[in-house]
Amino acid sequence: MFGFGARAPTSAEKVAAVENELKVVAEMHTRMVKICSLKCVDKTYREGELSKGEAVCLDRCAAKFFEAHAKISDHLQQQSAQQGGGFGM
């Protein structure tokens, strides 16, 4: 919002925000792979490929993980906006 005393973020701040977002996404991916693999993949590795049941389980697990992440992110963004923080990119 221009003219209301809020300054626009600098290029360095924008880059830092993007780098932070990439870090969060990479950490989320690592957690999702670990959790869903433990839950869905048979530890005996009887076959070279995933079974249909394992593939379906992994797909559902990943979908639930992303859905939960999106809901949490939306909630945190709403809280941040209410407190006057964030860049609003």
Side-chain angles (χ1 to χ4, degrees):
M1 304 295 165
F2 298 106
F4 292 106
R7 66 175 185 82
T10 65
S11 292
E13 289 171 331
K14 290 179 183 179
V15 169
V18 170
E19 287 174 345
N20 187 49
E21 182 67 20
L22 287 173
K23 181 180 174 185
V24 168
V25 170
E27 289 172 357
M28 180 191 69
H29 178 265
T30 301
R31 283 192 316 272
M32 180 190 68
V33 168
K34 182 179 178 181
I35 290 168
C36 293
S37 294
L38 287 172
K39 178 181 177 188
C40 299
V41 179
D42 185 11
K43 307 304 178 273
T44 60
Y45 302 108
R46 289 179 244 181
E47 301 174 27
E49 301 290 326
L50 292 173
S51 70
K52 182 172 177 115
E54 290 170 331
V56 168
C57 180
L58 286 169
D59 184 54
R60 288 180 180 165
C61 183
K64 288 177 183 179
F65 207 92
F66 280 112
E67 183 181 345
H69 178 74
K71 286 181 180 181
I72 291 168
S73 293
D74 288 345
H75 181 72
L76 291 175
Q77 285 178 352
Q78 288 174 356
Q79 283 185 333
S80 179
Q82 288 173 354
Q83 295 172 357
F87 290 137
M89 284 200 261

